[in-house]
Amino acid sequence: MKQIKAVVRPSKVDAVKNALVAIDVQGMTICDARGFGRQRGQVERYRGNEFRVDFIPKVQITTVVDDDRVEAVITAISEAARTGEIGDGKLFISSVDEVVRIRTGDRGVSAL
């Protein structure tokens, strides 16, 4: 099993969620986040004044899928979140050793 964390623009959350539902991803967790990448924040203008925004608002979407679904999930998220501009986000994929469903005690892929 793999855990996939996607950090995307807030405006792309619904598109990513719909893309994941369309390929039958069973569950996901969505959290608000703030951060920066290579651009180190950005300069904004408001009423003629410039100010620096160090932490850009993002959303982190986390899901866990079976190994054979990883590429489909990566493709779905990438296509739904892509604008072609700096700040589209990142995907982080890591291994998951075990999953336990608390309610039933199911383990492994059946707990997803």
Side-chain angles (χ1 to χ4, degrees):
M1 292 174 288
K2 300 286 188 212
Q3 180 182 56
I4 301 173
K5 290 185 180 180
V7 179
V8 300
R9 298 172 187 267
S11 63
K12 291 295 188 173
V13 171
D14 286 335
V16 171
K17 179 194 69 116
N18 293 336
L20 291 174
V21 168
I23 62 169
D24 202 32
V25 170
Q26 294 295 316
M28 63 191 83
T29 302
I30 298 176
C31 301
D32 290 326
R34 294 185 307 144
F36 64 86
R38 290 184 186 165
Q39 78 273 13
R40 304 265 196 262
Q42 63 189 23
V43 175
E44 296 280 339
R45 295 189 204 307
Y46 180 72
R47 295 188 176 181
N49 295 320
E50 285 188 358
F51 60 96
R52 184 161 186 78
V53 178
D54 290 328
F55 295 104
I56 309 301
K58 298 289 182 182
V59 175
Q60 179 177 304
I61 302 168
T62 305
T63 189
V64 177
V65 297
D66 197 11
D67 289 332
D68 62 346
R69 313 254 349 258
V70 172
E71 285 304 318
V73 171
I74 290 171
T75 300
I77 293 171
S78 296
E79 290 175 358
R82 183 177 295 123
T83 66
E85 298 178 12
I86 293 174
D88 276 350
K90 295 241 184 339
L91 291 170
F92 301 95
I93 296 97
S94 56
S95 294
V96 174
D97 294 329
E98 185 69 69
V99 175
V100 179
R101 180 174 296 160
I102 295 172
R103 179 178 56 86
T104 62
D106 291 346
R107 291 177 170 259
V109 176
S110 64
L112 296 176

